[in-house]
Amino acid sequence: MHVIKLVSRQHYNGTLLFSNTKLRKTTYYIAQGRAIRRMVVLYTSLEDLISENDCRYESMHLTDEATMPEQDNLQAGYLELMRTLPWLHRKLGEFDHEECEGMLKKLKKGADAARGDDTSSLKDLVAGWVNQEFRPSPLIRPDDKHSHGFASDACGKLLCPAEWDWDQACVKAGIRDRTTKYIVLENSWPLFMYKKYKVNSDNLEESFLKSKLLVLAFKSIFTSSSSAKEVDGDGDGDGDGADILENNRHAWRKSDQSKVKTCVASIIDMRKVTPRAITYIVCQVRFALSGVSSWRTVDSNFDYEIFWTNIVAFFEVVPGPVTRCRVDKLLEWWTRKFFGTNHHQDLTPKVVSQTSVNSLAEQRKILEDAAFDSE
C-alpha cells in the first residue's frame, strides 16, 4: 500500500514538473516573440525567413547565381531575426520538425499579440497628440475611427503624400473623392514622416523621419506612454534625449520593484534604434491616423506591406557610401533621442585597448620585459 502511494506521488510530481517546464517554455517563447513584429518583420512569416536561409546554406557551394531582391529581403530579415533572438539559431538546429513548429507557433502568438497591443494603445495616444497639436474642430475621437483619416482635416494633412499640398482645395477634394488623379498609394511618403510636417520638394530626404509624432510613438511603444511626455522641446529638434534604459533601472531600484514595469527596450536589450524598429512605428502611426477600424494589410489602394518594404529599403538599400553616411547620421539622431549620449555599447575591444589605462599597462609590461632581457 505504501509502495503504491509512493509511486503515485512520484508520478504526480514528475507530471507536475513536466507541466511546469512546458508552461515556462511556452511563456518564454511568447514573451520573446513580442519583439518580432517590432524589430524584425511586420508581415513576413518566420517560416519564409528560415526557409530562405536554409536554401542559401544548401546552395552556397553549388551555384553563384544572382539572387532576386525578394530573396535578399528575406535573408536580411533572417539575419535581423538572429540579432534580435540570438538563441533561436541554436534551437532550430537542435529541435526536430514538430518541436520547431511548436516553438515558431508560440513566437508568432507573442509577435501578433504585441502588434495588437501597440495598435490599440496608439489609437488613443495618436488621437490625443493630434488634438493637442492641431486643435481640430471637432476634436478627433479615439473611439471613433470614422473621424480619422482623410475625413479629418488634421489627419488628412498628416496622411497626405509629400508631393501634394493638402491645403489646396482640389487636392483635398480629389483625395476624399478618390479620383484617379489623386490616388493615395504606398509609394508616396506621408507628410507625418517629416519634421514639423513640412517637406522640401527639391530635397525629399531633408527632415525625413524626424517628426515629433514618430518620436512620441516610438517612446510610447519602446519605453512607456509617460516617457513620451518627456520629449524635449518640440520633440523633433536636435536635442538629446535621456537614457531611458538607465532611468528605468534607476526607478526599479528606488521604488517597489513589483510596481515598476520593465520597458520593452530593456526586455529585448535594445541598445540602439534600428531601421526596422522605426519602420514598425511609421506603419503603426499611419494606421492610427487612418480611418480603418481593424488592422489589415491593404487600406483601399494603400498596401502596408509594400509601404513597410519601401521604408526598410530606404535604410538598407543605398546607392553608395555618401548615402550610407546620411542614413547612419539619421540613426544616430534617433539613438540619441532615445538613449541620450551614452555610448557604452559602442566600445569595441579595439577601442578599449587604445585607452590610456590599457596603454599605460602595456608600456609598463614592455619596460619590465626590457629590463629583464638586459640582465
Side-chain angles (χ1 to χ4, degrees):
M1 187 69 176
H2 292 295
V3 174
I4 295 175
K5 285 184 177 180
L6 180 60
V7 171
S8 299
R9 189 179 300 114
Q10 288 175 339
H11 176 73
Y12 172 77
N13 290 339
T15 303
L16 184 62
L17 179 62
F18 175 78
S19 178
N20 288 340
T21 302
K22 187 176 181 181
L23 179 61
R24 282 198 299 271
K25 284 183 179 180
T26 298
T27 303
Y28 176 78
Y29 292 144
I30 291 174
Q32 290 286 298
R34 292 181 69 85
I36 292 172
R37 300 289 178 236
R38 293 162 168 165
M39 300 288 292
V40 184
V41 286
L42 184 52
Y43 293 100
T44 309
S45 71
L46 297 181
E47 289 83 358
D48 286 347
L49 300 182
I50 295 167
S51 176
E52 175 60 29
N53 185 72
D54 288 345
C55 287
R56 291 199 178 210
Y57 180 79
E58 291 168 1
S59 63
M60 187 166 51
H61 304 295
L62 300 178
T63 179
D64 294 326
E65 187 177 321
T67 54
M68 300 292 289
E70 294 81 4
Q71 294 173 302
D72 292 337
N73 290 340
L74 289 172
Q75 183 63 13
Y78 178 83
L79 295 175
E80 192 62 38
L81 177 63
M82 293 304 109
R83 281 190 286 269
T84 304
L85 305 179
W87 53 267
L88 182 58
H89 184 78
R90 178 174 56 83
K91 291 291 186 184
L92 291 171
E94 293 175 350
F95 286 179
D96 61 29
H97 180 71
E98 186 177 344
E99 289 174 317
C100 282
E101 274 193 343
M103 178 180 64
L104 294 178
K105 184 177 180 180
K106 295 177 182 71
L107 288 172
K108 183 178 183 297
K109 182 177 180 180
D112 292 340
R115 198 273 309 149
D117 291 344
D118 294 341
T119 301
S120 179
S121 64
L122 282 177
K123 181 181 70 172
D124 294 339
L125 290 170
V126 170
W129 295 331
V130 172
N131 285 336
Q132 185 177 5
E133 183 155 356
F134 292 92
R135 305 289 180 184
S137 180
L139 294 175
I140 300 167
R141 291 174 50 191
D143 60 341
D144 179 18
K145 286 285 276 181
H146 296 295
S147 67
H148 298 210
F150 291 108
S152 159
D153 264 348
C155 290
K157 181 179 179 66
L158 293 170
L159 290 168
C160 184
E163 57 266 35
W164 300 332
D165 182 359
W166 176 256
D167 292 329
Q168 291 185 9
C170 62
V171 172
K172 192 179 299 185
I175 292 176
R176 285 174 171 170
D177 294 340
R178 300 184 182 183
T179 62
T180 54
K181 188 177 179 181
Y182 295 104
I183 301 175
V184 179
L185 299 172
E186 63 281 346
N187 291 315
S188 294
W189 300 127
L191 206 60
F192 75 82
M193 298 175 73
Y194 285 88
K195 180 178 180 179
K196 300 188 184 303
Y197 318 116
K198 294 178 181 178
V199 61
N200 178 359
S201 57
D202 295 323
N203 183 5
L204 290 171
E205 198 170 350
E206 182 183 317
S207 301
F208 186 55
L209 290 169
K210 284 189 173 184
S211 77
K212 180 179 179 180
L213 200 57
L214 293 181
V215 173
L216 290 168
F218 198 104
K219 288 205 168 191
S220 294
I221 295 303
F222 286 97
T223 57
S224 64
S225 56
S226 60
S227 72
K229 299 174 184 177
E230 300 165 7
V231 172
D232 65 294
D234 57 5
D236 50 12
D238 293 323
D240 298 325
D243 185 344
I244 51 90
L245 290 187
E246 182 55 37
N247 288 352
N248 189 260
R249 285 191 291 267
H250 185 66
W252 190 84
R253 287 193 296 265
K254 284 191 67 175
S255 52
D256 182 352
Q257 297 170 2
S258 64
K259 296 180 180 178
V260 178
K261 184 179 179 182
T262 304
C263 69
V264 171
S266 293
I267 293 171
I268 64 178
D269 198 28
M270 176 189 275
R271 299 293 174 179
K272 291 184 178 181
V273 176
T274 64
R276 291 174 183 239
I278 297 172
T279 303
Y280 173 76
I281 292 299
V282 174
C283 290
Q284 283 282 9
V285 171
R286 207 277 175 188
F287 179 80
L289 290 168
S290 77
V292 179
S293 57
S294 58
W295 184 266
R296 62 185 65 174
T297 304
V298 179
D299 171 11
S300 186
N301 296 299
F302 190 94
D303 190 313
Y304 278 93
E305 187 170 3
I306 298 176
F307 184 56
W308 185 92
T309 303
N310 288 340
I311 305 169
V312 170
F314 166 81
F315 286 106
E316 298 181 0
V317 185
V318 296
V322 175
T323 305
R324 169 54 59 198
C325 183
R326 290 199 303 273
V327 167
D328 289 344
K329 285 183 177 179
L330 174 61
L331 290 172
E332 183 181 358
W333 181 90
W334 270 94
T335 295
R336 290 175 74 100
K337 279 285 181 188
F338 198 48
F339 297 101
T341 54
N342 186 344
H343 291 290
H344 190 77
Q345 72 279 358
D346 295 318
L347 295 177
T348 62
K350 182 179 179 181
V351 171
V352 173
S353 69
Q354 295 171 348
T355 59
S356 55
V357 169
N358 287 284
S359 296
L360 187 150
E362 183 63 27
Q363 290 169 7
R364 294 176 79 184
K365 184 176 180 299
I366 293 171
L367 289 172
E368 193 70 26
D369 291 344
F372 180 79
D373 292 339
S374 66
E375 292 178 359

